[in-house]
Amino acid sequence: MSKPIALAADHGGYALKEEVKKHLDELGIAYKDFGTHSEASVDYPDMALPACDAVVSGECDKALLFCGTGVGISMSANKVKGIRACCCSDAFSAEYTRRHNDANALCMGGRVVGPGLACQLVDLFLNTEYEGGRHDGRIAKLMAIENR
Ligand code: RB5
C-alpha cells in the first residue's frame, strides 16, 4: 500500500484543507491530517513541522500545506531539511515544480485559491513525476545549501 499524504494547515488554510480532504476521499487517496482542526488561531510554523517531519522520515509521501496565503507555511516547510516546498496558485507551477524541482510539498493559500482550483493543483502535483536528468545536479546544489 502506498504511503499517506501529509496534510497540515493553520486557521487561514483550515477550510481549504477540509475541501481537499473531501477530494482525496473521493479519489481514495490516503492521508494523515496533522491539523489544525478548527478556525481557532494557530501559528503556521507549528502546523508545518510535524507534517514535514513525516515526509522527511518516510512516514508520508508528500505534504499538502495550507495557510492564508500559502506563503508562511511554505517558508516554514522550506526550513525543514529535506523539504522542497512550492507555494502555488497556478497549474503550470504545480506541474513543473514536480517535473523540474522534485517538490515534495505543495502549499496553497485558503484566502487565495478556491477549492476547485486547489483540487486541480493537488491532482497535478500528485500525478506528475520528476523528470530527473539535467535537473539532478541543480537539486543536488539546492539541497547542499542545507549543509552550508
Ligand atoms: C494568518 O492570519 C496568516 O498570516 C497566515 O495564515 C498566512 O497567510 C501567513 O503566511
Side-chain angles (χ1 to χ4, degrees):
M1 209 174 98
S2 54
K3 293 178 197 173
I5 301 298
L7 302 181
D10 76 352
H11 53 291
Y14 165 71
L16 189 58
K17 172 170 68 70
E18 297 307 300
E19 292 293 334
V20 167
K21 276 167 66 176
K22 285 186 219 163
H23 181 63
L24 296 176
D25 286 338
E26 283 167 14
L27 295 172
I29 295 175
Y31 55 80
K32 183 167 180 183
D33 186 352
F34 289 86
T36 190
H37 301 292
S38 79
E39 303 278 358
S41 182
V42 292
D43 297 334
Y44 51 80
D46 296 335
M47 307 317 301
L49 275 180
C52 290
D53 284 347
V55 172
V56 174
S57 74
E59 178 190 354
C60 291
D61 181 22
K62 298 183 181 73
L64 301 175
L65 306 172
F66 309 85
C67 67
T69 57
V71 174
I73 205 145
S74 65
M75 289 180 168
S76 307
N78 276 316
K79 297 286 185 192
V80 178
K81 267 192 174 188
I83 292 293
R84 291 178 299 281
C86 176
C87 180
C88 263
S89 54
D90 71 280
F92 187 85
S93 301
E95 179 178 342
Y96 276 79
T97 198
R98 287 289 310 130
R99 281 184 188 275
H100 289 190
N101 312 127
D102 197 17
N104 53 12
L106 175 68
C107 308
M108 291 177 284
R111 297 168 186 158
V112 179
V113 177
L117 176 57
C119 293
Q120 183 187 18
L121 301 185
V122 165
D123 290 347
L124 282 166
F125 185 75
L126 295 182
N127 294 322
T128 303
E129 294 298 322
Y130 171 55
E131 285 178 5
R134 71 187 190 278
H135 305 293
D136 284 345
R138 295 164 187 163
I139 291 182
K141 286 184 181 180
L142 169 67
M143 302 317 284
I145 295 171
E146 292 179 343
N147 303 317
R148 204 166 56 139

